[in-house]
Amino acid sequence: MTGRVIVITSGKGGVGKTTTSANIGTALAKNGANVVLIDTDIGLRNLDLLLGLENRIVYTLVDVVEERCKLKQALVKDKKNPNLCLLAAAQTRDKSAVTAEQLKKITDQLKEEYDFIIVDCPAGIEEGFKTAISGATEAIVVTTPEMSAVRDADRIIGLLEAKEEIKSYKLLVNRVRPSMVQANDMMSVEDVVDILSCDLIGIIPEDTGIITSTNRGEPIVNDENSQAGKAYINVARRINGEEVPFMNIDEPKGFAAFIAKVKKFFKAKD
């Protein structure tokens, strides 16, 4: 059986594509799958930082394409998980350095040996996007519950629908803040799904631990106490075909739960 090529895309920058790629890839590898993460954001690579592999990069995607090294030489093994490899982007070139045909050739090669090839797509809908989706048959569209991000996700879905090779695409809603949703200051996940008419694969709550994990080069799925980490693990399980219910992220935790109880107590007194 050949591997699955899944592109992680969004349209808008800053919604958490790279974080999603790193965490889904790590979660799949932790579950026993052989995974390659490909950073196609040439010129602005970040996936290596999120995995803590920035000092191990010798060859990049561009080196493979320009035949300065073999594909296997450019794959960097994760420090903690031998099932996980990274093919890094070049920082000193621009997105025109790799064509759609060249990337498809690489993903086709990788499919023969790996279960999953996760492609981290650059922001926008220009050449970089067209290249990133070239070898994929599945897509995960990442958005946050903001109008600008949802509108860009809608545009991306339209482009994915027009590409015959993409057999399925799912929606991942990132940085959901239940308190803001309840106060009507943020769109609900239901609103986002309704607007985009797209099947949901994940709801990731806002989690300050992601900032810490990013700075440490340690995906949040490795933190057993993180709600976002658990949510990403659930996404990986759904990718594997498991039926996993969506987490209830409405329940306040820790200090927030304590404050909620105090407020409830005083309301009862009134």
Side-chain angles (χ1 to χ4, degrees):
M1 190 183 124
T2 55
R4 291 162 65 185
V5 184
I6 305 171
V7 65
I8 313 289
T9 182
S10 72
K12 190 177 188 299
V15 296
K17 277 187 306 294
T18 303
T19 302
T20 296
S21 300
N23 280 288
I24 287 176
T26 303
L28 287 166
K30 276 167 77 93
N31 205 27
N34 288 316
V35 184
V36 178
L37 288 163
I38 304 181
D39 190 346
T40 60
D41 202 354
I42 297 164
L44 292 169
R45 78 174 187 219
N46 279 314
L47 196 46
D48 56 324
L49 288 172
L50 268 68
L51 296 164
L53 296 173
E54 64 277 13
N55 296 325
R56 298 196 176 187
I57 308 300
V58 178
Y59 296 112
T60 68
L61 175 59
V62 173
D63 291 319
V64 177
V65 161
E66 294 179 353
E67 297 183 349
R68 277 190 291 277
C69 70
K70 290 190 166 68
L71 178 54
K72 275 195 172 167
Q73 287 177 282
L75 295 175
V76 180
K77 268 199 163 57
D78 186 56
K79 291 174 188 173
K80 289 191 172 175
N81 202 319
N83 294 351
L84 182 66
C85 289
L86 168 69
L87 179 54
Q91 280 181 298
T92 53
R93 303 288 289 277
D94 63 28
K95 290 172 182 63
S96 64
V98 179
T99 66
E101 292 76 22
Q102 287 167 331
L103 187 70
K104 187 176 185 312
K105 190 179 169 188
I106 286 170
T107 55
D108 284 350
Q109 260 182 278
L110 291 168
K111 276 195 303 192
E112 300 306 313
E113 288 186 53
Y114 291 87
D115 301 310
F116 291 98
I117 296 93
I118 308 290
V119 183
D120 183 22
C121 183
I125 55 168
E126 312 307 321
E127 211 55 47
F129 166 76
K130 289 170 189 163
T131 300
I133 66 168
S134 61
T137 53
E138 301 171 57
I140 292 175
V141 180
V142 181
T143 186
T144 51
E146 303 158 78
M147 227 29 250
S148 59
V150 171
R151 186 176 66 178
D152 286 0
D154 195 34
R155 182 79 199 277
I156 287 291
I157 287 167
L159 294 170
L160 292 172
E161 282 182 341
K163 187 169 162 57
E164 279 177 34
E165 290 81 0
I166 301 288
K167 304 298 178 202
S168 75
Y169 56 85
K170 300 270 171 67
L171 181 68
L172 184 141
V173 185
N174 198 16
R175 298 196 190 127
V176 178
R177 299 186 195 180
S179 56
M180 287 183 74
V181 174
Q182 282 157 12
N184 284 327
D185 291 331
M186 179 179 266
M187 295 163 75
S188 70
V189 173
E190 289 78 12
D191 291 337
V192 176
V193 171
D194 209 35
I195 291 165
L196 297 175
S197 301
C198 185
D199 289 343
L200 193 62
I201 197 163
I203 302 166
I204 314 296
E206 180 72 63
D207 190 334
T208 51
I210 291 212
I211 298 164
T212 317
S213 78
T214 300
N215 290 337
R216 281 190 192 143
E218 180 81 40
I220 197 91
V221 291
N222 290 331
D223 178 357
E224 290 170 13
N225 301 314
S226 162
Q227 256 206 318
K230 287 173 191 166
Y232 276 123
I233 286 166
N234 286 346
V235 172
R237 288 172 65 192
R238 290 184 196 108
I239 288 170
N240 272 322
E242 285 185 57
E243 284 195 24
V244 186
F246 290 101
M247 270 166 45
N248 176 19
I249 60 170
D250 297 335
E251 198 61 43
K253 298 275 188 290
F255 184 67
F258 170 71
I259 294 294
K261 278 179 186 170
V262 170
K263 283 182 178 172
K264 211 171 177 184
F265 173 77
F266 282 110
K267 267 189 182 170
K269 286 251 177 187
D270 291 346

